[in-house]
Amino acid sequence: MLENARGRKSSREKILDAAAELVSEIGAGRLTLDAVAERAGLSKGGLLYNFPSKEALLQAMIRRMIDQVTESREALRPQLKPGPNLEARLATTTLLNMCCDGKMQEIATGLMVATAENPRLLDPVREVISETLQRIKSDSDDDAALLGWLAVEGLSNLEMHNLSPFSDQDRERIVQAINRLLTKGIAS
């Protein structure tokens, strides 16, 4: 998070926080720059200085979510045992940890409306998915990594949109099966 020398949030961060709160409450389709400026405690001019359009604001919100996922993945890296499928294990563990974050779930769901109206907003997400796939492929020579990652992507998407038919026990069994698949061959 960007903070100035005194430890206060930058205007940009205040705006992104305010926009995230509003998207969680009302969705991106009903989000207005006036409402974001008011919630952030800034003038509309102050908001427009940082984000000249609603699209620029939405793009920054998506970029911030991507950055949060990347930071979480890299913070997890030293905690995982080296070995096969490390990149897949990092990607799947990060996804499983973050898909249960209620706040991120609300924001992601709210932003989906905006991406339906403007699919280009998802371009950075497409890039991250492609980069993740390339890292997983370069780190593994079998299909276990791809299958594990794909399974977690599916599970997390179901959960992110409140569509999961799985009980907590089912989910735990699925996660354990994926972990067994990805850690096969790693000494305990």
Side-chain angles (χ1 to χ4, degrees), residues 120-188:
R120 287 188 339 227
L121 288 171
L122 287 176
D123 286 347
V125 177
R126 287 182 187 92
E127 289 174 23
V128 168
I129 290 170
S130 179
E131 290 166 6
T132 301
L133 176 60
Q134 292 311 311
R135 274 196 315 277
I136 290 170
K137 283 180 172 181
S138 70
D139 183 55
S140 176
D141 60 355
D142 66 11
D143 293 333
L146 293 175
L147 289 171
W149 176 63
L150 185 58
V152 169
E153 281 286 347
L155 180 62
S156 66
N157 274 296
L158 286 171
E159 291 176 349
M160 189 68 68
H161 302 294
N162 290 319
L163 298 171
S164 179
F166 301 113
S167 68
D168 289 344
Q169 291 139 337
D170 290 338
R171 182 189 193 277
E172 185 58 33
R173 278 192 4 259
I174 292 166
V175 169
Q176 287 175 4
I178 293 166
N179 286 333
R180 282 192 305 273
L181 182 68
L182 294 177
T183 57
K184 187 174 158 185
I186 298 176
S188 300

Side-chain angles (χ1 to χ4, degrees), residues 1-186:
M1 204 165 282
L2 300 174
E3 295 184 3
N4 67 22
R6 293 186 184 136
R8 292 186 308 218
K9 288 183 182 179
S10 69
S11 294
R12 188 173 174 83
E13 286 299 309
K14 286 180 186 178
I15 294 166
L16 289 170
D17 288 345
E21 290 171 10
L22 286 166
V23 165
S24 295
E25 294 168 14
I26 62 173
R30 295 187 8 212
L31 183 73
T32 66
L33 295 180
D34 289 325
V36 174
E38 183 180 328
R39 177 74 61 101
L42 300 168
S43 67
K44 187 169 180 182
L47 183 142
L48 291 172
Y49 176 80
N50 287 282
F51 303 102
S53 67
K54 181 177 172 180
E55 182 173 332
L57 176 59
L58 294 172
Q59 287 172 339
M61 291 175 69
I62 290 169
R63 173 52 51 198
R64 182 163 82 160
M65 289 180 75
I66 290 168
D67 291 345
Q68 289 170 340
V69 171
T70 301
E71 289 170 15
S72 294
R73 183 189 70 227
E74 292 310 311
L76 183 62
R77 188 176 292 277
Q79 298 171 31
L80 294 185
K81 291 182 180 181
N85 303 324
L86 177 61
E87 293 301 323
R89 290 184 286 129
L90 283 165
T92 58
T93 304
T94 302
L95 274 173
L96 288 168
N97 289 343
M98 298 195 87
C99 73
C100 297
D101 178 348
K103 192 68 173 166
M104 184 170 279
Q105 181 181 22
E106 290 173 2
I107 296 167
T109 300
L111 286 171
M112 286 307 290
V113 172
T115 60
E117 293 175 12
N118 183 355
R120 287 188 339 227
L121 288 171
L122 287 176
D123 286 347
V125 177
R126 287 182 187 92
E127 289 174 23
V128 168
I129 290 170
S130 179
E131 290 166 6
T132 301
L133 176 60
Q134 292 311 311
R135 274 196 315 277
I136 290 170
K137 283 180 172 181
S138 70
D139 183 55
S140 176
D141 60 355
D142 66 11
D143 293 333
L146 293 175
L147 289 171
W149 176 63
L150 185 58
V152 169
E153 281 286 347
L155 180 62
S156 66
N157 274 296
L158 286 171
E159 291 176 349
M160 189 68 68
H161 302 294
N162 290 319
L163 298 171
S164 179
F166 301 113
S167 68
D168 289 344
Q169 291 139 337
D170 290 338
R171 182 189 193 277
E172 185 58 33
R173 278 192 4 259
I174 292 166
V175 169
Q176 287 175 4
I178 293 166
N179 286 333
R180 282 192 305 273
L181 182 68
L182 294 177
T183 57
K184 187 174 158 185
I186 298 176

